Short mmCIF file of all heavy atoms in Angstrom, two decimals:
data_model
loop_
_atom_site.label_atom_id
_atom_site.label_comp_id
_atom_site.label_asym_id
_atom_site.label_seq_id
_atom_site.Cartn_x
_atom_site.Cartn_y
_atom_site.Cartn_z
N TYR H 64 187.61 -9.84 -26.38
CA TYR H 64 186.75 -10.64 -25.51
C TYR H 64 186.14 -11.77 -26.33
O TYR H 64 185.97 -11.68 -27.55
CB TYR H 64 185.61 -9.79 -24.94
CG TYR H 64 186.02 -8.70 -23.99
CD1 TYR H 64 186.36 -7.43 -24.45
CD2 TYR H 64 186.02 -8.92 -22.61
CE1 TYR H 64 186.71 -6.42 -23.56
CE2 TYR H 64 186.36 -7.91 -21.71
CZ TYR H 64 186.71 -6.67 -22.21
OH TYR H 64 187.05 -5.66 -21.34
N GLN H 66 182.63 -14.35 -25.97
CA GLN H 66 181.40 -14.55 -25.21
C GLN H 66 180.65 -15.74 -25.77
O GLN H 66 180.25 -15.74 -26.94
CB GLN H 66 180.51 -13.30 -25.25
CG GLN H 66 179.31 -13.37 -24.33
CD GLN H 66 178.53 -12.07 -24.30
OE1 GLN H 66 178.44 -11.37 -25.30
NE2 GLN H 66 177.97 -11.74 -23.14
N SER H 71 178.82 -14.37 -19.64
CA SER H 71 179.34 -13.01 -19.64
C SER H 71 180.58 -12.91 -20.52
O SER H 71 181.09 -13.91 -21.02
CB SER H 71 179.67 -12.58 -18.21
OG SER H 71 180.00 -11.20 -18.19
N LEU H 72 181.02 -11.70 -20.70
CA LEU H 72 182.23 -11.45 -21.47
C LEU H 72 183.43 -12.09 -20.78
O LEU H 72 183.56 -12.03 -19.56
CB LEU H 72 182.49 -9.95 -21.58
CG LEU H 72 181.46 -9.12 -22.32
CD1 LEU H 72 181.76 -7.65 -22.12
CD2 LEU H 72 181.46 -9.46 -23.79
N THR H 77 194.85 -8.31 -23.74
CA THR H 77 194.95 -6.85 -23.78
C THR H 77 196.16 -6.50 -24.63
O THR H 77 197.24 -7.09 -24.44
CB THR H 77 195.15 -6.29 -22.37
OG1 THR H 77 194.05 -6.67 -21.56
CG2 THR H 77 195.23 -4.77 -22.40
N PHE H 119 181.23 -15.62 -30.02
CA PHE H 119 181.06 -14.22 -30.36
C PHE H 119 182.32 -13.50 -29.86
O PHE H 119 182.60 -13.50 -28.67
CB PHE H 119 179.80 -13.69 -29.66
CG PHE H 119 179.34 -12.34 -30.11
CD1 PHE H 119 179.30 -12.00 -31.45
CD2 PHE H 119 178.90 -11.40 -29.19
CE1 PHE H 119 178.84 -10.76 -31.88
CE2 PHE H 119 178.43 -10.15 -29.60
CZ PHE H 119 178.41 -9.84 -30.95
N ILE H 121 184.42 -10.06 -29.45
CA ILE H 121 184.18 -8.62 -29.36
C ILE H 121 185.47 -7.92 -29.01
O ILE H 121 186.19 -8.34 -28.10
CB ILE H 121 183.13 -8.29 -28.27
CG1 ILE H 121 181.87 -9.15 -28.44
CG2 ILE H 121 182.77 -6.81 -28.30
CD1 ILE H 121 180.90 -9.02 -27.28
N ARG H 125 190.33 1.61 -25.91
CA ARG H 125 190.38 2.66 -24.89
C ARG H 125 191.39 3.71 -25.34
O ARG H 125 192.43 3.39 -25.91
CB ARG H 125 190.78 2.08 -23.55
CG ARG H 125 190.66 3.03 -22.38
CD ARG H 125 190.85 2.30 -21.06
NE ARG H 125 192.18 1.74 -20.94
CZ ARG H 125 192.53 0.85 -20.02
NH1 ARG H 125 191.63 0.39 -19.16
NH2 ARG H 125 193.76 0.39 -19.97
N ARG H 129 193.58 6.39 -18.98
CA ARG H 129 193.24 5.04 -18.57
C ARG H 129 191.87 4.91 -17.93
O ARG H 129 191.33 3.83 -17.87
CB ARG H 129 194.30 4.50 -17.61
CG ARG H 129 195.64 4.29 -18.28
CD ARG H 129 196.67 3.79 -17.27
NE ARG H 129 196.89 4.75 -16.21
CZ ARG H 129 197.72 4.54 -15.20
NH1 ARG H 129 198.35 3.39 -15.09
NH2 ARG H 129 197.89 5.46 -14.27
N ASP H 130 191.29 6.01 -17.47
CA ASP H 130 189.98 5.85 -16.86
C ASP H 130 188.86 6.04 -17.86
O ASP H 130 187.70 6.03 -17.50
CB ASP H 130 189.80 6.81 -15.68
CG ASP H 130 190.01 8.25 -16.11
OD1 ASP H 130 190.54 8.48 -17.20
OD2 ASP H 130 189.65 9.14 -15.34
N GLU H 132 186.18 5.11 -20.67
CA GLU H 132 185.42 3.89 -20.92
C GLU H 132 186.01 3.13 -22.09
O GLU H 132 186.75 3.66 -22.91
CB GLU H 132 183.97 4.24 -21.24
CG GLU H 132 183.81 5.00 -22.56
CD GLU H 132 182.38 5.32 -22.88
OE1 GLU H 132 181.71 4.44 -23.44
OE2 GLU H 132 181.94 6.43 -22.58
N GLN H 133 185.68 1.88 -22.15
CA GLN H 133 186.02 1.06 -23.30
C GLN H 133 184.90 1.18 -24.31
O GLN H 133 183.74 1.03 -23.97
CB GLN H 133 186.20 -0.40 -22.88
CG GLN H 133 187.41 -0.65 -22.01
CD GLN H 133 187.61 -2.11 -21.71
OE1 GLN H 133 187.14 -2.98 -22.43
NE2 GLN H 133 188.33 -2.39 -20.63
N PHE H 135 183.14 -0.39 -27.47
CA PHE H 135 183.06 -1.74 -28.02
C PHE H 135 182.76 -1.74 -29.51
O PHE H 135 181.98 -0.92 -30.01
CB PHE H 135 181.97 -2.54 -27.30
CG PHE H 135 182.40 -3.01 -25.94
CD1 PHE H 135 182.23 -2.19 -24.84
CD2 PHE H 135 182.97 -4.25 -25.77
CE1 PHE H 135 182.63 -2.61 -23.58
CE2 PHE H 135 183.37 -4.68 -24.51
CZ PHE H 135 183.20 -3.85 -23.43
N GLY H 136 183.38 -2.67 -30.20
CA GLY H 136 182.99 -2.96 -31.58
C GLY H 136 181.70 -3.75 -31.58
O GLY H 136 181.25 -4.22 -30.53
N PRO H 137 181.10 -3.94 -32.74
CA PRO H 137 179.81 -4.64 -32.84
C PRO H 137 179.93 -6.16 -32.68
O PRO H 137 178.91 -6.84 -32.58
CB PRO H 137 179.30 -4.27 -34.23
CG PRO H 137 180.54 -3.97 -35.00
CD PRO H 137 181.51 -3.37 -34.03
N ARG H 140 180.64 -12.86 -35.13
CA ARG H 140 180.12 -14.19 -34.82
C ARG H 140 180.90 -15.20 -35.64
O ARG H 140 180.81 -15.21 -36.86
CB ARG H 140 178.63 -14.26 -35.16
CG ARG H 140 178.00 -15.63 -34.97
CD ARG H 140 177.74 -15.93 -33.52
NE ARG H 140 176.87 -14.93 -32.90
CZ ARG H 140 176.66 -14.86 -31.59
NH1 ARG H 140 177.27 -15.72 -30.77
NH2 ARG H 140 175.87 -13.94 -31.08
N PHE R 43 181.42 1.00 -14.14
CA PHE R 43 180.66 1.17 -15.38
C PHE R 43 179.42 0.30 -15.36
O PHE R 43 179.42 -0.80 -14.81
CB PHE R 43 181.49 0.77 -16.60
CG PHE R 43 182.71 1.61 -16.84
CD1 PHE R 43 183.90 1.32 -16.23
CD2 PHE R 43 182.64 2.69 -17.71
CE1 PHE R 43 185.03 2.08 -16.47
CE2 PHE R 43 183.77 3.47 -17.96
CZ PHE R 43 184.96 3.16 -17.34
N TYR R 45 176.94 -1.27 -18.42
CA TYR R 45 176.75 -1.46 -19.85
C TYR R 45 175.45 -2.23 -20.07
O TYR R 45 175.03 -3.04 -19.25
CB TYR R 45 177.89 -2.28 -20.47
CG TYR R 45 179.18 -1.52 -20.66
CD1 TYR R 45 180.11 -1.40 -19.64
CD2 TYR R 45 179.46 -0.92 -21.89
CE1 TYR R 45 181.29 -0.70 -19.84
CE2 TYR R 45 180.64 -0.23 -22.10
CZ TYR R 45 181.55 -0.12 -21.07
OH TYR R 45 182.72 0.57 -21.27
N GLN R 47 173.57 -4.82 -22.79
CA GLN R 47 173.87 -5.72 -23.91
C GLN R 47 172.61 -6.46 -24.33
O GLN R 47 172.05 -7.26 -23.56
CB GLN R 47 174.96 -6.72 -23.54
CG GLN R 47 175.40 -7.58 -24.72
CD GLN R 47 176.53 -8.55 -24.39
OE1 GLN R 47 176.71 -8.92 -23.24
NE2 GLN R 47 177.29 -8.94 -25.40
N GLY R 50 173.00 -11.09 -28.73
CA GLY R 50 173.66 -11.14 -30.02
C GLY R 50 174.37 -9.85 -30.42
O GLY R 50 174.86 -9.74 -31.55
N GLU R 51 174.40 -8.89 -29.52
CA GLU R 51 175.05 -7.62 -29.82
C GLU R 51 176.15 -7.34 -28.80
O GLU R 51 176.22 -7.94 -27.75
CB GLU R 51 174.03 -6.48 -29.81
CG GLU R 51 172.94 -6.64 -30.85
CD GLU R 51 171.93 -5.50 -30.80
OE1 GLU R 51 172.20 -4.49 -30.13
OE2 GLU R 51 170.88 -5.62 -31.45
N ALA R 52 177.02 -6.39 -29.15
CA ALA R 52 178.07 -5.98 -28.23
C ALA R 52 177.50 -5.05 -27.15
O ALA R 52 176.43 -4.45 -27.33
CB ALA R 52 179.17 -5.27 -29.00
N PRO R 53 178.18 -4.93 -26.02
CA PRO R 53 177.71 -4.02 -24.96
C PRO R 53 177.76 -2.56 -25.39
O PRO R 53 178.60 -2.16 -26.19
CB PRO R 53 178.72 -4.26 -23.83
CG PRO R 53 179.36 -5.57 -24.13
CD PRO R 53 179.37 -5.68 -25.61
N PHE R 55 177.64 1.45 -23.70
CA PHE R 55 177.90 2.19 -22.47
C PHE R 55 176.63 2.86 -21.97
O PHE R 55 175.88 3.47 -22.71
CB PHE R 55 178.97 3.24 -22.75
CG PHE R 55 179.20 4.22 -21.64
CD1 PHE R 55 179.96 3.89 -20.55
CD2 PHE R 55 178.65 5.50 -21.71
CE1 PHE R 55 180.19 4.80 -19.52
CE2 PHE R 55 178.86 6.42 -20.70
CZ PHE R 55 179.64 6.07 -19.61
N TYR R 58 178.96 5.85 -15.94
CA TYR R 58 180.27 5.74 -15.28
C TYR R 58 180.21 6.51 -13.98
O TYR R 58 179.83 7.69 -13.96
CB TYR R 58 181.36 6.30 -16.19
CG TYR R 58 182.73 6.40 -15.55
CD1 TYR R 58 183.43 5.26 -15.20
CD2 TYR R 58 183.33 7.64 -15.34
CE1 TYR R 58 184.70 5.34 -14.63
CE2 TYR R 58 184.59 7.74 -14.78
CZ TYR R 58 185.28 6.59 -14.44
OH TYR R 58 186.53 6.67 -13.89
N LEU R 97 175.37 -5.16 -17.49
CA LEU R 97 176.68 -5.58 -16.99
C LEU R 97 177.29 -4.49 -16.13
O LEU R 97 177.37 -3.34 -16.54
CB LEU R 97 177.62 -5.87 -18.16
CG LEU R 97 177.12 -6.83 -19.22
CD1 LEU R 97 178.09 -6.91 -20.39
CD2 LEU R 97 176.92 -8.22 -18.63
N TYR R 105 193.88 -0.47 -13.50
CA TYR R 105 193.04 -0.02 -14.61
C TYR R 105 192.56 -1.17 -15.48
O TYR R 105 192.27 -0.99 -16.66
CB TYR R 105 193.74 1.07 -15.44
CG TYR R 105 193.87 2.36 -14.68
CD1 TYR R 105 195.00 2.62 -13.91
CD2 TYR R 105 192.84 3.30 -14.68
CE1 TYR R 105 195.10 3.79 -13.19
CE2 TYR R 105 192.94 4.48 -13.96
CZ TYR R 105 194.08 4.72 -13.20
OH TYR R 105 194.18 5.87 -12.49
N LEU R 107 189.62 -3.81 -16.27
CA LEU R 107 188.17 -3.80 -16.09
C LEU R 107 187.73 -5.19 -15.65
O LEU R 107 187.96 -6.17 -16.36
CB LEU R 107 187.50 -3.41 -17.40
CG LEU R 107 186.08 -2.84 -17.34
CD1 LEU R 107 186.03 -1.63 -16.44
CD2 LEU R 107 185.61 -2.49 -18.72
N TRP R 109 184.67 -7.62 -14.85
CA TRP R 109 183.26 -7.70 -15.26
C TRP R 109 182.43 -8.57 -14.33
O TRP R 109 182.88 -9.64 -13.89
CB TRP R 109 183.17 -8.28 -16.67
CG TRP R 109 183.70 -7.38 -17.72
CD1 TRP R 109 184.98 -7.31 -18.19
CD2 TRP R 109 182.96 -6.40 -18.45
NE1 TRP R 109 185.07 -6.35 -19.16
CE2 TRP R 109 183.85 -5.78 -19.35
CE3 TRP R 109 181.62 -5.98 -18.44
CZ2 TRP R 109 183.45 -4.76 -20.21
CZ3 TRP R 109 181.24 -4.98 -19.31
CH2 TRP R 109 182.15 -4.38 -20.17
N GLY R 110 181.21 -8.13 -14.07
CA GLY R 110 180.22 -9.00 -13.46
C GLY R 110 179.64 -9.91 -14.53
O GLY R 110 179.87 -9.72 -15.73
N ALA R 111 178.89 -10.91 -14.09
CA ALA R 111 178.32 -11.88 -15.03
C ALA R 111 177.10 -11.34 -15.75
O ALA R 111 176.63 -11.94 -16.72
CB ALA R 111 177.95 -13.16 -14.29
#
Side-chain angles (χ1 to χ4, degrees):
Chain H
Y64 294 88
Q66 188 174 34
S71 188
L72 297 170
T77 301
F119 192 44
I121 309 171
R125 189 170 64 194
R129 293 178 298 178
D130 57 346
E132 66 179 276
Q133 292 184 23
F135 284 87
R140 176 77 57 191
Chain R
F43 296 87
Y45 284 85
Q47 186 178 24
E51 299 180 12
F55 171 80
Y58 173 67
L97 308 174
Y105 291 90
L107 202 57
W109 291 89

